[in-house]
Amino acid sequence: MAKITYNTHDNKTHTIEVQNGLTVMEGAVQNDIPGIDADCGGGMACATCHVYVDDAWMAACPPISDVENVMLEVVIAPKKSGSRLSCQLMASKALDGIVLHVPD
Ligand code: FES
């Protein structure tokens, strides 16, 4: 299990345990975290799972693939550093404690 904290646009903090092997997006959807719609179900085709990874956790995240990079170009309000698709982040020991900010 990985503890994931989602700071949502309504200034609420949601900290949940996500089973290792599920994506951070799946953990959000299963727990009704607002702002992560995940319309394509993790197929990297919608970018409605966009999050900002907290600066302190950037180094722990896996590299961004070319396809994810292309999808991040179409999100609203991307950040040069920190924007990720939460469907590409896998809950794991490495991400246990990660803090994410969910855009409006
Ligand atoms: Fe669609 Fe992540 S769920 S791109």
Side-chain angles (χ1 to χ4, degrees), residues 38-40 44-51 71-72 74-76 85:
D39 292 337
C40 77
M44 255 200 301
C46 71
T48 61
C49 64
H50 176 218
V51 294
M71 289 306 297
L72 287 170
V74 302
V75 301
I76 297 170
L85 299 179

Side-chain angles (χ1 to χ4, degrees), residues 24-38:
V24 170
M25 172 278 282
E26 290 170 316
V29 169
Q30 290 177 2
N31 289 277
D32 297 320
I33 304 298
I36 298 182
D37 295 338

